[in-house]
Amino acid sequence: MLKKVIFYIVFAAVVLGALEFIGRSGWFADFSLNKGNDDDNELRVGYFPNITHAQALIAIQMEYEGNSWFGARLPAGTKILWQPYNAGPSAMEGLTIGSIDLSYVGPSPAINAYARRNGDVRIVSGSAEGGAALVVSRTFTGTRAQDFIGEKIATPQLGNTQDVSCRAWLIKNGIKVESSGDGEVQIAPTKNPDQLALFKTGTLCAAWTVEPWVSRLELEAGGRVFVEDYESVTTVLAASKNTILKRRKLMDEFVKAHKELTTWINSHPDEAKVLLQRSLTRETKSEFPMRIVNNAFPRIKFVGELNKESLAAYVNDGFETGMLPEKIDVNEISQTTKFSDGAGTGVLPLPSDIGKFLWDGICDLSILSALWVTLRRLVLGYAIGFILALPLGLLLSQSKFFRDTLGVVALGLQALPSVCWVPISLVVFGQDERAILTVVVMGSVWSLMLATESGIRSVPPLYLRAAKTMGSKRFHLWTRVMFPAALPMIFSGMKQGWAFAWRSLMSAEIYVYIFSGIGLGWMLNAGREEMNVGKVYGVMLAIIIVGLVMDRLCFAPIERRLRERWGLDK
């Protein structure tokens, strides 16, 4: 036994040491990451289908209509490949692993990528300023910042540009805000489409967001602008270290053409708005309202030069609110001549970073609090699912009609990924605990129901005939013969249902922020948005440990006892 323990300790030490060495060295980067694009005739550019990324959208539409802006200004034969993204961290991951060369993106993801990836991402140009605002619902009657105390304000993403601006504005007005969700005002990271839906249902009273969603909240949900943010840097043009070092001339020509396009947009606003509307219509595959473009366009200032003063103020706000890891010199993030030779890729897990995150999370109780929130939701949702599934499963086992109707529905819904229930639950219940519980119940109830039905129907008929011969009837037959005989299979269904419930909960917590508490799923997603690899892997390790503990301490002993009691062990 002692030799086995020593073997496991040595094995773990070797694996952790190897991971630490590979993660901190440049070996992994040299062989698999940051190779970038070495084709001199091809430039890959990321963008979002947002009005604040107008330069990219208008250029794409011009190219689509046979009048390529960049094609006419770059070396002959240069091909622009446009890559759409829906989140800043995804675009920055594309830059750092070399799948794109440049990207239009918000300043926050670019700064986080610079800090977390050893300076491998740089800002090479400005793009847009303003276009953001705090919008309140028609039912909100407050007139000052203090009137938001006790309320909830939605932002598009934890740590993104609008999230930082919202937190900084509240703090400057003397209002306590905490990244954990505590504080006098609760900041709720909520995707822009969900904000619109929640505004329409009246379950959200305020949102700090960016165009076109500011205009959509105004025109489609009856919102009104409470604070207009004209000065903040909204969009920048970022490039990877590899692009700057290996393809500097082509990048400089692209940046020059980008600035010329910005000048054209400002001098031809009517034509630009038409092209922008057509581009958004094509991107969203539905007619994008021209009134949204007309309403949003005057709020945005399209620029070719980076406003370093505004960016420095934003960096200071981000650091003060705890949303940026360090206070970065904007001259460093925007310079493209000096690069550090820091080791590490920022992608592989470092055991030391994971250990530090877990230790800090235990000391400040953040990870324990998230674990408690997650387990509470899991147990409650699973219990509700089991209570619903047991009688329905018994009903299916005794009725062919219900097997042909409800049973078919259950089979279909069991195959449906549980995350599909999240948008529906969010619209019906809002950012409420009931939305999470609904997803957990829907993720587990069908497998539990079908396992109960299968277990009852699998009871050998010989058992039933023998019991009836000995006088067993009705309730006694059910409780003392059929249900006990089916229990091993029902228990297997319970284990499967628990696994489905666990996965459903993680999907729901990753997808949406719930006002009643931050769970492990949301913490995992936050780590990804912060580009904090140690946090991502640390939460994953915590999830794995919880799963193993639940199996070893709860399910395994019961399953072993059942198999022994029913003589199923060899």
Side-chain angles (χ1 to χ4, degrees):
M1 182 65 181
L2 181 59
K3 290 182 178 179
K4 196 173 183 179
V5 171
I6 293 174
F7 169 78
Y8 283 133
I9 292 174
V10 173
F11 177 75
V14 170
V15 171
L16 293 175
L19 286 174
E20 189 78 23
F21 172 76
I22 294 173
R24 290 191 178 278
S25 70
W27 179 84
F28 188 75
D30 292 338
F31 283 91
S32 59
L33 293 181
N34 295 320
K35 290 183 178 180
N37 180 21
D38 295 326
D39 186 351
D40 290 335
N41 294 322
E42 186 177 280
L43 199 63
R44 296 169 296 183
V45 185
Y47 71 98
F48 301 172
N50 289 345
I51 289 179
T52 52
H53 291 228
Q55 289 96 328
L57 291 169
I58 289 173
I60 293 170
Q61 188 61 27
M62 286 181 169
E63 187 175 316
Y64 182 78
E65 295 179 2
N67 182 28
S68 176
W69 181 276
F70 287 100
R73 289 162 177 79
L74 297 179
T78 301
K79 185 178 181 181
I80 304 292
L81 299 179
W82 298 95
Q83 175 63 50
Y85 288 94
N86 60 7
S90 300
M92 295 302 94
E93 288 160 4
L95 281 182
T96 56
I97 67 175
S99 62
I100 55 174
D101 303 301
L102 300 106
S103 183
Y104 291 88
V105 70
S108 186
I111 294 168
N112 266 312
Y114 173 85
R116 304 281 189 188
R117 299 290 190 265
N118 301 312
D120 283 354
V121 171
R122 300 297 168 95
I123 297 175
V124 295
S125 176
S127 183
E129 299 174 8
L134 172 61
V135 184
V136 297
S137 68
R138 61 172 71 99
T139 59
F140 183 77
T141 58
T143 58
R144 56 198 183 106
Q146 284 69 25
D147 293 328
F148 288 96
I149 293 177
E151 299 288 350
K152 302 175 182 69
I153 301 178
T155 59
Q157 193 175 41
L158 180 67
N160 89 323
T161 309
Q162 290 74 50
D163 187 72
V164 169
S165 297
C166 179
R167 294 172 189 273
W169 179 75
L170 291 170
I171 291 172
K172 288 173 183 177
N173 282 277
I175 299 172
K176 180 183 176 183
V177 179
E178 299 289 345
S179 59
S180 63
D182 299 326
E184 294 177 310
V185 176
Q186 190 174 15
I187 309 298
T190 308
K191 292 178 174 58
N192 286 314
D194 294 336
Q195 290 180 15
L196 181 61
L198 293 171
F199 251 74
K200 289 180 177 179
T201 59
T203 55
L204 183 65
C205 80
W208 196 302
T209 188
V210 68
E211 292 291 1
W213 298 100
V214 173
S215 293
R216 295 196 67 177
L217 291 176
E218 275 188 301
L219 301 178
E220 297 178 17
R224 63 181 175 89
V225 173
F226 191 90
V227 174
E228 191 92 38
D229 188 0
Y230 290 107
E231 303 299 328
S232 292
V233 176
T234 306
T235 309
V236 298
L237 182 61
S240 66
K241 172 183 174 181
N242 185 78
T243 300
I244 295 171
L245 291 178
K246 296 183 178 181
R247 316 182 72 200
R248 179 62 181 264
K249 183 178 179 181
L250 184 58
M251 184 199 75
D252 286 343
E253 291 179 349
F254 182 90
V255 172
K256 180 182 177 182
H258 156 77
K259 293 179 179 179
E260 292 174 355
L261 177 58
T262 303
T263 301
W264 181 88
I265 290 172
N266 289 327
S267 59
H268 300 81
D270 293 335
E271 295 176 58
K273 284 189 285 187
V274 171
L275 288 169
L276 183 57
Q277 188 271 339
R278 291 176 185 168
S279 185
L280 286 168
T281 295
R282 193 168 43 80
E283 290 280 344
T284 60
K285 297 186 172 48
S286 62
E287 187 68 21
F288 194 87
M290 192 66 195
R291 62 173 186 152
I292 299 293
V293 176
N294 289 330
N295 195 69
F297 212 79
R299 286 196 171 108
I300 307 168
K301 179 182 179 183
F302 297 104
V303 297
E305 300 297 330
L306 179 64
N307 188 335
K308 293 186 178 181
E309 183 178 349
S310 178
L311 186 63
Y314 171 79
V315 168
N316 184 70
D317 288 341
F319 180 74
E320 294 298 327
T321 58
M323 292 294 105
L324 294 179
E326 55 185 279
K327 193 175 287 188
I328 296 168
D329 186 346
V330 296
N331 291 313
E332 291 182 6
I333 195 174
S334 60
Q335 66 87 19
T336 56
T337 55
K338 296 180 181 179
F339 294 92
S340 65
D341 296 324
T345 67
V347 176
L348 279 183
L350 297 179
S352 57
D353 289 344
I354 295 172
K356 182 179 183 301
F357 164 74
L358 292 174
W359 176 253
D360 291 344
I362 292 172
C363 291
D364 64 16
L365 302 180
S366 60
I367 196 165
L368 297 179
S369 174
L371 178 60
W372 165 249
V373 170
T374 294
L375 288 179
R376 184 190 67 206
R377 291 168 176 166
L378 181 63
V379 171
L380 182 56
Y382 179 75
I384 295 172
F386 181 76
I387 292 171
L388 292 173
L390 190 61
L392 290 175
L394 295 175
L395 182 63
L396 290 181
S397 69
Q398 299 301 302
S399 171
K400 186 178 185 305
F401 171 78
F402 283 108
R403 284 198 299 273
D404 292 340
T405 53
L406 182 58
V408 174
V409 172
L411 280 171
L413 292 178
Q414 185 186 29
L416 183 71
S418 53
V419 73
C420 296
W421 292 101
V422 176
I424 298 173
S425 300
L426 190 63
V427 170
V428 174
F429 299 111
Q431 288 174 299
D432 186 271
E433 198 73 21
R434 292 172 296 175
I436 288 284
L437 292 178
T438 299
V439 177
V440 177
V441 171
M442 290 300 178
S444 60
V445 68
W446 313 115
S447 61
L448 287 168
M449 181 194 306
L450 294 173
T452 301
E453 181 256 341
S454 180
I456 295 295
R457 295 189 68 202
S458 298
V459 175
L462 181 63
Y463 291 3
L464 302 181
R465 289 198 297 268
K468 291 178 180 178
T469 299
M470 290 184 285
S472 179
K473 297 180 181 179
R474 297 178 183 175
F475 185 75
H476 183 275
L477 185 66
W478 274 99
T479 58
R480 304 304 296 271
V481 180
M482 295 180 67
F483 188 78
L487 197 54
M489 186 171 289
I490 292 175
F491 186 77
S492 295
M494 291 175 63
K495 284 186 64 177
Q496 185 183 51
W498 177 268
F500 285 154
W502 185 234
R503 294 168 188 170
S504 301
L505 179 57
M506 289 300 100
S507 299
E509 287 189 341
I510 287 172
Y511 186 88
V512 65
Y513 178 94
I514 297 298
F515 292 140
S516 53
I518 294 175
L520 289 177
W522 178 255
M523 188 175 283
L524 176 68
N525 189 53
R528 185 253 180 173
E529 292 177 351
E530 296 165 5
M531 304 192 79
N532 187 341
V533 176
K535 186 173 184 177
V536 170
Y537 285 104
V539 176
M540 288 174 63
L541 182 59
I543 292 171
I544 291 171
I545 291 173
V546 170
L548 289 174
V549 169
M550 290 301 301
D551 182 73
R552 296 298 180 184
L553 296 185
C554 297
F555 288 106
I558 299 174
E559 185 175 28
R560 186 167 54 250
R561 174 60 178 159
L562 280 174
R563 295 185 67 85
E564 291 174 356
R565 177 68 177 82
W566 268 256
L568 298 175
D569 283 330
K570 295 181 180 179

